[in-house]
Amino acid sequence: MGNRKTGIAGVSTTGTMALSAASYFQDITLTIALTPTDFIWQGVMQGRRDGCKEWPAEGESLLSYRGEPLPYMPFACQRPQYWRGVAAESRRTGDMIYARKLYEDSEAAHSITEAEIIKVEDIHGKLLLIGAEDDVLWNTAKYIRGMEKRLAEKPHDCEVEAVVYEHGPHFVFPEGMMRLLLPIGSALAVGLAFKAAGAYPKECRATRMDIDRRITRTIAEWRKECV
């Protein structure tokens, strides 16, 4: 039938990727980013090395464009200190993975430059930003508010909707998607992964249900608009 419109969506790292892609490609007219950062960070690798499950890729950016790495925020520590720090914080907090301190330390050690910031003002069409205050991977609430501030200060033509929930942790998937991924025990799985989700199961479920409604409405409105 051919392509009439292009939209992009992502959660966590892919939320950051979605924002970056939409800032480069004007044909993208719907961008949904859940728990993103507002800057590009150092690339990471996963596997088994020196007792680490994840570590920064030396000299590599999270993203590249036309074969060239994009400017990035380097992490404050490299392998193996990177994973040791994350593992220690995860044990301390009881979360599956707690990396918020890593990002805070990295931002303190390296002031994020304009080149590393995602140019959200270059995004076209609809832009939906979603996050939660109790995100323990990074401070997505701060990053979303930073993008709102940037859009308020710079000319842009995108229609932005930004929502930050009190509870929801990092995996702010729509409720319908959670049920597809985990037909049985989805709330329990999130609660086991993140301490805050276990402490506030009703609030987190209400967050996921509201996200479901928002995303469904946004996509429906976007589809009805003329190309």
Side-chain angles (χ1 to χ4, degrees):
M1 294 176 62
N3 299 319
R4 295 176 56 238
K5 289 185 174 183
T6 303
I8 191 168
V11 183
S12 187
T13 301
T14 56
T16 299
M17 292 178 181
L19 288 173
S20 301
S23 73
Y24 276 88
F25 301 104
Q26 295 187 2
D27 288 344
I28 297 175
T29 56
L30 171 64
T31 306
I32 301 173
L34 289 76
T35 62
T37 60
D38 64 342
F39 58 91
I40 298 167
W41 27 283
Q42 185 174 359
V44 295
M45 301 182 73
Q46 294 181 332
R48 296 283 181 178
R49 190 173 180 182
D50 299 336
C52 303
K53 294 181 180 179
E54 182 178 285
W55 60 90
E58 185 176 352
E60 291 190 25
S61 173
L62 175 70
L63 301 172
S64 63
Y65 179 60
R66 292 180 173 173
E68 295 297 326
L70 297 180
Y72 63 91
M73 177 206 75
F75 289 113
C77 54
Q78 303 298 307
R79 192 187 80 248
Q81 290 79 14
Y82 169 99
W83 181 253
R84 290 174 181 172
V86 170
E89 284 296 295
S90 299
R91 288 193 298 270
R92 180 184 67 82
T93 61
D95 292 289
M96 176 183 67
I97 183 168
Y98 187 104
R100 188 155 169 162
K101 185 176 185 301
L102 168 71
Y103 280 83
E104 291 172 348
D105 290 347
S106 299
E107 291 179 60
H110 171 87
S111 297
I112 297 173
T113 67
E114 175 65 18
E116 296 154 9
I117 293 286
I118 298 170
K119 307 303 184 288
V120 290
E121 66 273 14
D122 293 336
I123 294 175
H124 297 274
K126 292 182 177 291
L127 171 60
L128 179 58
L129 302 168
I130 294 176
E133 295 282 3
D134 55 4
D135 192 326
V136 295
L137 266 75
W138 50 65
N139 193 348
T140 196
K142 181 182 78 170
Y143 304 146
I144 288 174
R145 293 185 180 114
M147 287 185 273
E148 284 189 285
K149 182 175 183 294
R150 185 178 181 92
L151 288 169
E153 296 172 348
K154 292 183 176 292
H156 65 278
D157 62 15
C158 68
E159 178 186 342
V160 62
E161 179 181 357
V163 188
V164 176
Y165 299 91
E166 183 178 0
H167 299 293
H170 192 69
F171 291 162
V172 288
F173 295 113
E175 180 67 8
M177 181 181 290
M178 284 296 296
R179 290 179 179 175
L180 287 173
L181 294 172
L182 296 168
I184 300 174
S186 58
L188 177 62
V190 176
L192 291 173
F194 297 108
K195 188 176 180 180
Y200 300 96
K202 293 181 180 179
E203 291 84 352
C204 289
R205 183 172 184 273
T207 291
R208 295 193 300 271
M209 291 178 68
D210 191 64
I211 291 170
D212 208 329
R213 289 189 290 267
R214 288 180 186 274
I215 290 179
T216 300
R217 184 195 69 234
T218 299
I219 293 174
E221 291 174 351
W222 173 69
R223 290 183 64 183
K224 289 179 182 178
E225 292 176 353
C226 296
V227 177

